[in-house]
Amino acid sequence: MAEEDDTKIRILQSLRGKICEAKNLGPSSGPNRLRDLCTFCTISLDQEEVYRTKVYEKSVSPFYSEDFYFEIPRPFQCLSFYVYAKSMFQIRDLPVGKVAIRKEDLYKYCGKENWFQLQPVDPHSEVQGKVHLEMKLNELITENGSICQQLVVQIIACQGLPLISGQNCDPYATVTLVGPARSDQKKTKVKKKTSDPQFDEIFHFEVTRSSSYKGRSHFHVEEEDIEKLEIKVELWNNGNLAQDVFLGETRVSVKILRNDSVHKAWYLLQPKGNGTKSKPDDLGSLRLKVTYTEDNVLPSACYTDLRNLILKSPDVKPISASAAHVLGDICRESVGYEALLPVVRLLLHHNRLLPFLTSVAALELENTQEANTIFRGNSLATRCIDDMMKIVGKSYLNVTLKPVLNEIFESSKACEIDPVKLKEGDNVEVNKENLQGYVHKVFTSITQSSSSCPPLMCDVFRSLRQLASKRFPADPHVQYSAVSSFIFLRFFAVAVLSPHTFQLRTHHPDPEISRTLTLISKTIQSLGSWGSLSKNKLASFKETYMYDFFKLFQEDDCIEKVKKFLDEISSNVSKESSGVEDSFVLKEGEVHKRAQGRKRIGKKNFKKRWLRLTNQELSYHKQKGKEALCVIPVKNILGVEKLDESAFTRKNMFQVIHEKPLYVQAGNCVETNSWIEVLSQVSRCNPDRLSTFHPSAYVGGFWLCCEVPNESAPGCKPCTAAFLANIQLDIDCDRETERIFSFFSSSRSRLQKMEDVCAGMSVYLGQQEECSAFTIQDPKETFRTIKELGEVLDDLQAHHDSKGASTDEPGTIENPIVGKTA
């Protein structure tokens, strides 16, 4: 098993982006029904919905503004965005239109906002999956002794067929030989409740023998006959009493057998050849930002040299000559500082982040001339610290801000204090009182949260405080502003403004709540900015209404609370844990759970439940907010694994193993993956975790996977490896190193330019114009790093070329052929 893992390439996919807005939804001709309807958007991988926005108020041009990010846990053909109209009087949501982008075309739109015309939602175009076929020509001697040709078609299997009404389909296939004057059709048996049917059925079609046939050892179909014949395979869902549902088709020309006596390949299913064409009506348009990332992660040993080069970055003097700093320098113009995130994660995993952050912060302070501008720009140092806070500070935000934000969202009190924006009937004094109450709760929650601040953040703040005092020894306040510029301005204020981007709320807030959050965030920024409570700082407010509102907080105790908080999170005294960890919610949502302790027969055993996971326990409830029906302490979780689809003929199932398995079905593949990841992460340090598990269920007196009749028998399959780290973070170091490699590779021209500048500076010992684009303190040391990087990158590229060559052949299950349509 270890040897197999050493050669395995992992293809890891992720998708991030934004559903921005729509324009002119609905048909342009006829009565516009959408004016009285609310709309929402969904994202689907093929035909599986994996994300849904909230419902937006009546408008033909709604502003959605919803960010999304998720890992894609399975192969897919097409990414689709649907717009639906929702009405109180409709049983089903009405599809307005869709944007469908094939996987191979996603790179065209990477990282940019684009307007897409909505296309009609046609049932015959909603397909997914692939089919495995084998074709060959045989000679056949008829009863009268003549020889004719026989086409043998074997439909072997299908994979990835869509769900029908959320359940596995009952698929069957039709195989048709199509020619100018013939259409011979045959049909497979129906396979019950599966998206990956195994057919293994063979069909024979008699083909008119060639008039030029002479020999028996080799016969050839005439060219004109071959051109006209093709095999059409259609997949259908058996509807029993209802109408059968089309699942997809592919067509293969018989002429492919001219060169091969046997043709065997996987084909992608396509929309119906004569399906409904696009309607002339303009259905509106959708503005989207989509970034699809596919990492081909090689075996770990391939990354050793590049990983070591990044990990030794904190020790390089000067820090600007390190591989990590060089990466940020050369990628700054193309992707900003986006390339630094995998560097931060890699250094974080190996406990090398603190010295690196200290060094890059010291470099930035060398170039800072005014104490009041300390860490205010978007630099390499500030971006790295921002990324660190977002990674390690998730639970801190959950404990500190989430309860207050939930109250703001659920109570929805009016807080507008701008006289120009007041609605009719609003009372500005009441609104001001509401806003003041919210600000007080947020401010108090923050300033009393020092005990929950992650130790790494405290270590970084302590380092920043010392560096700032050393750089500006005459300014007694700079030690506080160095810390407050991050913890208030770049952490808490940003999280209040955009809670959905920090997973504090599921969706973007509506306009009224968004405005409330903006006012709170602006006030928190000013309250937390050291010195902002002095009289002269009030002049910085451009808006008179904010000037008047902020005067409500001109109290000495506010200054003292901020100072005390900053002291506590950046002091030299190491924090000691109280031993009692605050409970906070990691994930919750609606699932289907299989009843425990009942007879294992019947669908009624699956009940809709609300699953809730905190850092201390997993519980399920009849509905959200109701009392728990069952509570499982996290420390009792022995394993979290996927469950074979065959166990209950249901997709997207996983099991939480404790005293006995808890079987859960999530809504889609992304949700399944997310639940498994977060449950595995929170329980992976449990000392009693199992090493083996049963991938299927115990039904009818035996395990379906290994047929062992003993329910307490040890598992028959090794558990998924759980990689332990000093911090409770799930960081895939090989994937992060692959991301670093891809950023370096896409910026090789900039790397070469930086190398040339270093060489020129070393020869002429002078400052050149080109070097202003880079941070080069020591050209010889930087040149040495770049040369070493070049060798490492070339070596890693060679590994990619050798590993990837074997997977390029079309027709494999990983690289199916795109079938033709009529």
Side-chain angles (χ1 to χ4, degrees), residues 13 45-46 72 74-79 101 103 106 292:
Q13 311 166 100
L45 295 173
D46 299 320
I72 301 175
R74 63 168 177 79
F76 72 103
Q77 297 170 224
C78 189
L79 175 70
I101 309 172
K103 178 182 175 180
L106 282 170
Y292 168 72

Side-chain angles (χ1 to χ4, degrees), residues 333-564:
E333 291 184 359
S334 56
V335 294
Y337 289 113
E338 184 182 330
L340 293 171
L341 179 58
V343 171
V344 169
R345 292 173 67 85
L346 188 65
L347 293 172
L348 182 60
H349 182 84
H350 290 277
N351 295 319
R352 301 286 289 146
L353 185 57
L354 180 60
F356 179 72
L357 294 181
T358 301
S359 296
V360 294
L363 176 58
E364 176 164 333
L365 283 172
E366 286 180 24
N367 301 314
T368 303
Q369 304 305 318
E370 300 288 338
N372 61 358
T373 62
I374 191 169
F375 299 125
R376 291 302 176 95
N378 185 27
S379 64
L380 186 145
T382 58
R383 180 59 188 265
C384 285
I385 297 174
D386 282 353
D387 287 339
M388 177 276 295
M389 292 192 299
K390 287 178 183 176
I391 296 169
V392 305
K394 284 184 178 179
S395 61
Y396 184 30
L397 288 175
N398 267 282
V399 171
T400 309
L401 291 184
K402 191 167 185 177
V404 188
L405 289 172
N406 286 343
E407 180 185 343
I408 294 170
F409 273 75
E410 289 160 14
S411 60
S412 298
K413 293 179 182 177
C415 294
E416 183 57 71
I417 57 174
D418 183 354
V420 178
K421 295 183 179 180
L422 285 175
K423 292 183 179 180
E424 187 176 348
D426 275 358
N427 185 314
V428 69
E429 292 303 320
V430 172
N431 289 4
K432 189 181 292 186
E433 186 178 332
N434 292 338
L435 182 61
Q436 185 181 1
Y438 284 151
V439 170
H440 176 73
K441 286 183 178 181
V442 172
F443 180 72
T444 302
S445 182
I446 292 172
T447 54
Q448 293 180 354
S449 69
S450 61
S451 62
S452 300
C453 188
L456 179 60
M457 288 176 62
C458 294
D459 291 340
V460 171
F461 296 151
R462 181 166 60 253
S463 180
L464 294 177
R465 182 172 179 167
Q466 293 168 352
L467 290 170
S469 296
K470 184 177 179 181
R471 177 69 179 87
F472 299 101
D475 189 333
H477 300 309
V478 72
Q479 58 177 315
Y480 293 110
S481 57
V483 178
S484 66
S485 61
F486 284 103
I487 192 68
F488 279 101
L489 274 66
R490 294 175 173 272
F491 188 62
F492 283 123
V494 178
V496 169
L497 187 63
S498 304
H500 56 292
T501 61
F502 290 83
Q503 291 83 51
L504 296 172
R505 295 290 298 184
T506 307
H507 297 296
H508 192 282
D510 61 39
E512 289 77 14
I513 293 178
S514 182
R515 174 63 177 162
T516 298
L517 297 179
T518 299
L519 294 171
I520 295 172
S521 179
K522 289 173 71 172
T523 311
I524 290 298
Q525 284 185 51
S526 298
L527 284 172
S529 181
W530 182 255
S532 64
L533 292 170
S534 60
K535 297 287 185 182
N536 62 331
K537 279 290 181 177
L538 283 172
S540 64
F541 285 109
K542 297 177 182 178
E543 308 98 335
T544 304
Y545 64 87
M546 283 302 296
Y547 176 93
D548 293 335
F549 177 69
F550 196 70
K551 284 195 296 184
L552 298 172
F553 297 93
Q554 293 301 300
E555 301 173 359
D556 290 339
D557 68 328
C558 283
I559 300 176
E560 288 306 312
K561 285 177 181 177
V562 171
K563 182 177 181 295
K564 181 174 181 290

Side-chain angles (χ1 to χ4, degrees), residues 583-599:
S583 177
F584 54 89
V585 177
L586 293 170
K587 184 175 177 63
E588 57 184 336
E590 194 171 77
V591 299
H592 282 84
K593 182 199 71 68
R594 182 172 179 265
Q596 293 181 296
R598 297 186 185 176
K599 291 186 178 179

Side-chain angles (χ1 to χ4, degrees), residues 750 753 757 760-761 766-774 776:
R750 289 270 298 168
K753 186 176 180 180
V757 170
M761 291 175 69
Q767 196 79 1
Q768 299 180 347
E769 289 185 14
E770 293 91 341
C771 74
S772 62
F774 307 106
I776 302 174

